[in-house]
Amino acid sequence: HVVLNGAAFGVSAITGRLARFDGSTFQVVGAGGRTVTSNLAVFQNAVYYGAVGGGTIGTELFRFTGSVEQLAADIRPPFISISRSSSPHDLVVFDGQLYFGVDPDFLFNDPAAIFRFNGTTLSAFFTSSVFASISELTVAGGKLFAVHQPGSVAPTQIERYGAATGLELIVG
């Protein structure tokens, strides 16, 4: 759950959609009827989350501004008319930007990665391999931490990033 402009936001256990509670009224919000698939994060006066887009838009990054639900970034746009998904997860705000992990896409050979979003521009911050997984992005002590599983037989790694130190392997 997160709080934006005095209202609490969460995911409805019944519908799987974004919901708002203002202290007296519980309301499912967003016109698209999108199923939320990630945690919620408040960034630049909006609630961000991964959700199923529908049509040719797969599971991508969405935002709710308090009145409008919209696609914030289509990380993996459709191929011809085939829906593709990045499945953003573990959203955190760090150093003035929104960071999140994305799952690999074996069909199109897209690797697991960490992306950052400044509200307008999306960029890959860290990429791994199509056999990898990235999870548990966390901010602590002015650093961004992530669990990185490089492949099925490689040991799990914990990595951290700080503006002064860059990316460092701390366990693995």
Side-chain angles (χ1 to χ4, degrees):
H1 296 89
V2 296
V3 176
L4 175 66
N5 299 328
F9 288 83
V11 179
S12 167
I14 297 169
T15 66
R17 292 176 53 199
L18 185 66
R20 172 178 45 210
F21 181 69
D22 64 8
S24 61
T25 305
F26 177 83
Q27 176 186 16
V28 174
V29 295
R34 302 182 203 307
T35 300
V36 176
T37 60
S38 75
N39 65 307
L40 308 176
V42 173
F43 177 64
Q44 294 184 346
N45 207 33
V47 178
Y48 282 78
Y49 47 93
V52 179
T56 59
I57 297 175
T59 303
E60 297 295 345
L61 184 65
F62 284 82
R63 71 177 147 225
F64 183 74
T65 62
S67 60
V68 176
E69 179 183 49
Q70 59 192 178
L71 180 66
D74 192 356
I75 298 128
R76 294 196 176 129
F79 175 74
I80 306 172
S81 61
I82 300 170
S83 171
R84 298 178 60 209
S85 294
S86 63
S87 301
H89 55 81
D90 297 303
L91 286 70
V92 296
V93 177
F94 173 68
D95 201 22
Q97 297 190 72
L98 181 68
Y99 285 75
F100 53 92
V102 300
D103 291 339
D105 183 334
F106 299 104
L107 182 62
F108 292 96
N109 202 31
D110 290 325
I114 298 173
F115 277 83
R116 61 181 160 201
F117 184 64
N118 67 10
T120 306
T121 304
L122 178 74
S123 61
F125 170 71
F126 171 80
T127 57
S128 185
S129 80
V130 72
F131 302 107
S133 67
I134 294 170
S135 62
E136 300 180 47
L137 274 71
T138 306
V139 176
K143 296 190 184 287
L144 174 67
F145 292 82
V147 174
H148 175 219
Q149 175 66 49
S152 60
V153 295
T156 299
Q157 302 173 348
I158 299 177
E159 298 175 272
R160 71 178 171 200
Y161 174 81
T165 58
L167 189 64
E168 304 171 278
L169 174 66
I170 58 172
V171 175

